[in-house]
Amino acid sequence: MQFHILSFEGPDPYSRVGGLATRVEGLGQTLLALGHEVHLWFIGDPDRPPEEEWRGVRLHRWCQWVSRFHPEGVYDGDYGKQAELAASLPPYLAREILLPHLATGGKAVVLAEEWQTANTVLHLHWLLRYERARDRVRILWNANNTFGFDLVPWAQLSRVATVTTVSRYMKHRMRELGVEAVVVPNGLPPDAFEPPDRSAVALLRRRFGARTVVAKMARWDPDKRWLAAIEAVGEMKRHGWRPLLLARGGSEPHGAEVLEAALAKGLHVVDRSWTRPGAQGLLEALDDASVADVVNLGSRVDAESRRVLLRGANAVLANSGHEPFGLVGLETMASGGLACTGNTGEDYAVPGQNALVLETGEPMEFMTLFDRLRRCPDEARALRRAGRATARRYAWSEIVDRVLVPRVEPARDYVPT
C-alpha cells in the first residue's frame, strides 16, 4: 500500500519548526519499516533537489519557487504556500503517482496534516472522484493544534476525509465546532527509548546534588505556563529548597517577559550556550552555573543531551495550560525521568501512578506533590518505572499497529460521497 503524508514541515532545517516535523518523520519511518511505500510531500528547502530519498522515504519538496522568496523558513509566507500547495500538488499527485498505482490494483492512503492542507485534500478528493478512483484511496486529515481552525472548511472536510486529532483534549475542542474527530496519538521513535548516558546523568546529579533541579523545554508561549514555572521556582527558593530551573525556550518574544519576571522575583538568571555536541557540551555549559537559580539554555539540546537532561532532573515541568498532546512529558517518561504535566492533552499521564499532574497553576501544588516524593524516594522510583512502561505503549510501531492501521483498512463496499 502507498502512504502519502502531506505536511508543511519535514526533515529539512528550513522545514523543521516543532513537533509536526517530528511526527511526520516518525510516522513515515514506521510505515516504511512495516513494508509500505511512503511518500512525504512538504514545503522543503528551495535549494535542495525537488525529489530525494531520505532513509527510505521518498521526499517531494513542494512550493520551492514560492519558498525562494521566503528564506526565513517554512512558515514565512505561509498563506501563499498554502494556496500553491492546494492548486498544484493534487493534479500532480493524482496523475503521476496515484492513478498509475491504482491502475495496477494497488491501494493508497493519504495522511494530511494541519489547516494548511485542508484545501489540498478537498481538491484531491474532487480529482479522484472525477477519475472514478476515490473508493481506492483512504484520506485522513489530522489536527495537531487549534492553529488555523478559523480557516478550515469543516463541513466539506468532514464529508470527504476521516478527521483525526492527537488527544482527547483536542477531540473535545473540535467537538465544540461540531466536528467529530478520531484520536490517533503521536508516537515516539525508537531512539527515544535509548538509555541516557549513565555517567553524564550521574555527573549532572552530583554537580547539583543538594539542589532541586527542574527542567522545562517548550516554546516561549503563555500557554506553556512559563510564568507559573517561575512562580514555583521563586516559592521553592523562599522555602529554602535551593531550586535550579534549566530552561530551554525558543525565539518567541514571551521569553524576555519570563526572564524579566524571574529577575523581579530575585532569582539569579544566567545564559549558557555551547557548541560541543552531545551531553558533554551541555554539562560543560553548566559547569559554572552553581550560583544560578535559572539557567537559560541558548543552544539546541540534541537527542543525547535531551535524554540526559530529562533523566537527570528531579522533575520535568510540562505544565502547559493548553497542550494538544504533550510530547515532552512522554519523552521524559521514555527516558526514565519524572514528568510533571498539566491536565489538558496528556492522555498518557495518570496522577500519582506514572506522573505528577498539576490541576492548577499554584506553586504550592507542585511543591506539595513533589515534597512527598522527596520524602519517599521509593515512590519516586516507582513513578519513573511506570512512566517508562507507559511510554513504550506510545512507540510509533504500537500507535500505527493498534490505532492507525485499523482506520485505513477500508470496510467492504466503502464509497466516499
Side-chain angles (χ1 to χ4, degrees), residues 45-329:
D45 186 331
D47 295 320
R48 302 195 67 173
E51 296 187 352
E52 185 178 14
E53 188 169 294
W54 175 78
R55 300 180 185 175
V57 175
R58 303 181 190 187
L59 301 182
H60 304 265
R61 296 183 174 92
W62 214 255
C63 299
Q64 285 182 297
W65 76 268
V66 181
S67 297
R68 291 190 188 282
F69 296 96
H70 300 282
E72 299 304 316
V74 61
Y75 294 114
D76 182 16
D78 57 342
Y79 288 99
K81 292 171 180 175
Q82 180 265 341
E84 173 63 19
L85 188 78
S88 62
L89 190 148
Y92 183 88
L93 174 56
R95 181 181 65 249
E96 302 295 330
I97 310 290
L98 287 175
L99 293 175
H101 174 68
L102 299 175
T104 64
K107 294 183 180 179
V109 178
V110 174
L111 305 173
E113 299 284 338
E114 294 290 59
W115 72 268
Q116 294 96 343
T117 66
N119 288 324
T120 302
V121 164
L122 296 178
H123 190 184
L124 180 62
H125 164 79
W126 185 88
L127 290 174
L128 292 173
R129 280 197 67 196
Y130 181 81
E131 297 290 343
R132 301 182 184 276
R134 180 64 181 87
D135 59 317
R136 284 168 285 162
V137 179
R138 197 75 164 172
I139 299 179
L140 281 67
W141 178 89
N142 184 66
N144 292 277
N145 209 318
T146 57
F147 299 145
F149 268 20
D150 57 323
L151 301 172
V152 175
W154 291 110
Q156 300 96 309
L157 187 64
S158 298
R159 285 197 298 269
V160 307
T162 299
V163 175
T164 68
T165 192
V166 292
S167 66
R168 289 194 297 270
Y169 168 75
M170 282 292 292
K171 178 183 179 73
H172 292 303
R173 291 294 301 268
M174 295 167 75
R175 184 171 286 165
E176 295 169 0
L177 301 172
V179 179
E180 287 293 342
V182 175
V183 176
V184 179
N186 279 314
L188 292 173
D191 64 0
F193 300 97
E194 292 179 6
D197 185 321
R198 296 181 66 177
S199 61
V201 171
L203 180 58
L204 177 66
R205 289 177 174 172
R206 282 198 306 270
R207 184 167 295 168
F208 304 113
R211 306 187 64 179
T212 302
V213 179
V214 178
K216 185 170 176 63
M217 304 180 69
R219 289 179 293 108
W220 295 118
D221 187 295
D223 283 340
K224 300 300 181 181
R225 282 188 169 171
W226 277 102
L227 294 177
I230 296 298
E231 289 278 349
V233 172
E235 197 67 16
M236 284 189 279
K237 183 175 182 178
R238 194 172 72 83
H239 283 76
W241 282 24
R242 299 186 62 208
L244 175 64
L245 173 62
L246 302 179
R248 171 58 178 164
S251 58
E252 299 80 11
H254 183 58
E257 182 182 350
V258 173
L259 298 178
E260 288 170 7
L263 294 172
K265 285 197 165 295
L267 301 176
H268 184 196
V269 179
V270 300
D271 298 321
R272 289 292 181 270
S273 299
W274 60 95
T275 56
R276 184 174 177 177
Q280 292 306 312
L282 172 66
L283 291 172
E284 289 172 7
L286 296 176
D287 194 36
D288 61 345
S290 57
V291 298
D293 300 309
V294 178
V295 179
N296 178 30
L297 303 175
S299 297
R300 176 179 175 268
V301 182
D302 60 27
E304 179 187 335
S305 52
R306 187 182 184 92
R307 290 192 294 270
V308 168
L309 181 58
L310 297 179
R311 176 71 171 268
N314 297 114
V316 177
L317 278 178
N319 58 319
S320 300
H322 162 68
E323 185 56 76
F325 181 75
L327 192 58
V328 171

